Each structure stands twice: as C-alpha cells, then as structure tokens.
Amino acid sequence: TFERPRQLAECLESLAGLDYPRDRYQVVVVDDQSAVPPEAVVAGFRGRMDVTLVVQPHGGPAAARNTGAARATGDYLAFVDDDCTPARDWLRRLAESFAEAPDVAHGGRVVNRLAGNAYSEASQTLVEYVCRYFEGRPGHFFTSNNLAAPTRTFRAAGGFYDGIVLPAAEDREFCVRWSGLGHRLASAPGAVVFHAHVLDLRRFWSQHFTYGRGAYYYRRLIALGGHGRVRIEPLSFYAGLVLYPLSRNPGLRSLRVSLLLALSQLANASGFFYEVIRPSLAHERPRVRENLA
C-alpha cells in the first residue's frame, strides 16, 4: 500500500470478512513509505484477524511484495493490492486449488468494481485480454493483485524482481521466470478479487505510459535471464484487443472502451520508446544478472 488509507481500509474489511478460519491465515500489510504510515487503519482490524504492518523504505510494489513474503509464516502466499477487495470465498477457493496442485502458482480472476468508469473498465479489459491471449503460450502470466504461490518455492525462485521500482511488468517477469524454472501456472477462476482503480483521462494515460516503460525493462530482464527475446506480437493481436469489447457486447459503451484501448497502446508505445531514448543505466545490469542467476 502507498498513500491510500481509504482503499486499504476497504481491502482489510474484505479480508476480515473472509469465510475462512481466522487461525489459518495471516495478513501482512506493507507500507511503501507513505507520508503517514497507516498504523491507525491497521490497528482497527487487529482484534478481528492476525494482521501485521511493516513499513519499508520506498522501493515500489515488487519490493513491497517481497517484504511481505519475507514476513509471512504460512505455507502459501496470496498477493492482493490495497485497491482490491477479495470475494468472501477467495482464500477458500485458493486453498481448494492448492489442495489439487500444491506446487503450482495459481492466478485468480480480477473483476473491475467501478462499472461506471470507462477508463477503469478499459484498463481491466486490457489485462483480461492479454492474460487470455498468452494463456498456454510463452509469456503466460497472472497479475500480482490476485496471485498465489507456495511460500518455499516462491522464495527459492527469488521472488519478484525489485530492481525496477515502476509498478509495471514485475508480475509478467516473475511468471516467465517461474515457468522457466520448471514450475507450473494454473488458473483459479473461482478465486475472485474486485479491483477499484479510479482513473480519469490523465491517470489512464499515465498508467499505460508506465506500463510501456515497464515493458522495456521486462524485455531486458527476460533477455538477461536467458529466457530468449520477447517477440513483437502480430497486428492481429492489437486488432483483437481493440475489437475485444465490441465482440462481447456491441454498443456505444463498448465502442468507447475500444477507443480507450487504442489510446492505451499509444501511451504504452510512448512509454516504451521513452525508455529506449534515455541514457542506459549501466549500474542496473549487474543487479539484473545477479537477481536472475
């Protein structure tokens, strides 16, 4: 969490209301050095569940997730973001998935909670389309706001790569590395998380510009990790993306979402080439190699 006390409170409320035995799960809240640490928010839930607050120096979401994983005591890790509210049966569904496949990383389903916000709908639609497109192919991944993995295997794999502080691509890189180490990824569609990412035009552009910047580092990390080069997807991928909302529900609203998806790709490309033209950070490369060795 970072500078979002109201969203954090909603997330913790949903975690406190899970239909799962209280003595079977632990909540670790990692604050990424907010100006005011959310101690007061977390304190309100300590009598309802086992919850711990950890404050780390500002290092981005990948570092925060690793910090939380290091403090966790359970056999399995389930990651969720502060602007998400898991369904009541979220952990139970994940537990069922692990009972069937204990050594697998499971990705749940993420649903946009802001039905009236076209920007939020477009962003979630993009993630849904990309995840479905890569399922069963090289590059298959799940987003880290609903991702679960065996604790021991997650740590042995090196966790999320925290050398890049951008909130983008760390989940894709982790999943590719996880698969490259011989571990499996499996979908757990019954484990649902509702995502309430409030966006307007400026924030929408900024988000996808950042995704483009993250894509640049993702490509570098995959190459340096010995997983080959990330190929550019064919034009049919982008055409399918833009037409995806209309194929599901034709109408003016879907048309607006389609146009926003086209805009997202322009922002993404802008962010990617922004990193291309920046001077290369030579000191970054040894860290990448060391982390992925």
Side-chain angles (χ1 to χ4, degrees), residues 280-292:
S280 178
L281 301 177
H283 70 275
E284 212 173 76
R285 291 174 180 167
R287 293 186 63 196
V288 171
R289 289 198 181 98
E290 181 181 357
N291 187 285
L292 299 182

Side-chain angles (χ1 to χ4, degrees), residues 130-131 134-142 172 175-176 179 185 218:
V130 173
C131 287
F134 283 106
E135 188 170 3
R137 309 185 189 194
H140 181 206
F141 76 102
F142 297 113
R172 294 186 68 186
C175 289
V176 169
S179 298
L185 296 165
Y218 166 70

Side-chain angles (χ1 to χ4, degrees), residues 121 242 245-259:
E121 182 179 344
V242 173
L246 291 167
S247 68
R248 295 190 304 171
N249 186 24
L252 289 177
R253 181 171 183 80
S254 294
L255 177 60
R256 185 182 182 187
V257 172
S258 290
L259 293 174

Side-chain angles (χ1 to χ4, degrees), residues 57 77 124 159 182 192 203 223 239 270:
L77 301 167
Q124 192 57 55
V192 178
R203 291 174 178 172
S270 299

Side-chain angles (χ1 to χ4, degrees), residues 9-46:
E10 293 180 357
C11 178
L12 292 176
E13 183 65 43
S14 66
L15 293 174
L18 293 173
D19 65 349
Y20 202 74
R22 294 291 181 273
D23 61 346
R24 298 289 303 279
Y25 71 96
Q26 164 201 30
V27 177
V28 181
V29 178
V30 183
D31 179 67
D32 197 25
Q33 204 173 29
S34 298
V36 179
E39 170 59 33
V41 175
V42 175
F45 292 90
R46 287 206 171 97

Side-chain angles (χ1 to χ4, degrees), residues 32-93:
D32 197 25
Q33 204 173 29
S34 298
V36 179
E39 170 59 33
V41 175
V42 175
F45 292 90
R46 287 206 171 97
R48 301 172 62 187
M49 59 184 174
D50 179 1
V51 58
T52 302
L53 172 64
V54 181
V55 178
Q56 71 166 22
H58 187 64
R65 293 186 183 104
N66 289 342
T67 297
R71 292 291 296 269
T73 60
D75 294 329
Y76 299 99
L77 301 167
F79 295 97
V80 68
D81 288 352
D82 60 359
D83 60 352
C84 294
T85 52
R88 291 192 72 249
D89 62 350
W90 179 58
L91 276 190
R92 181 162 54 83
R93 295 290 190 176

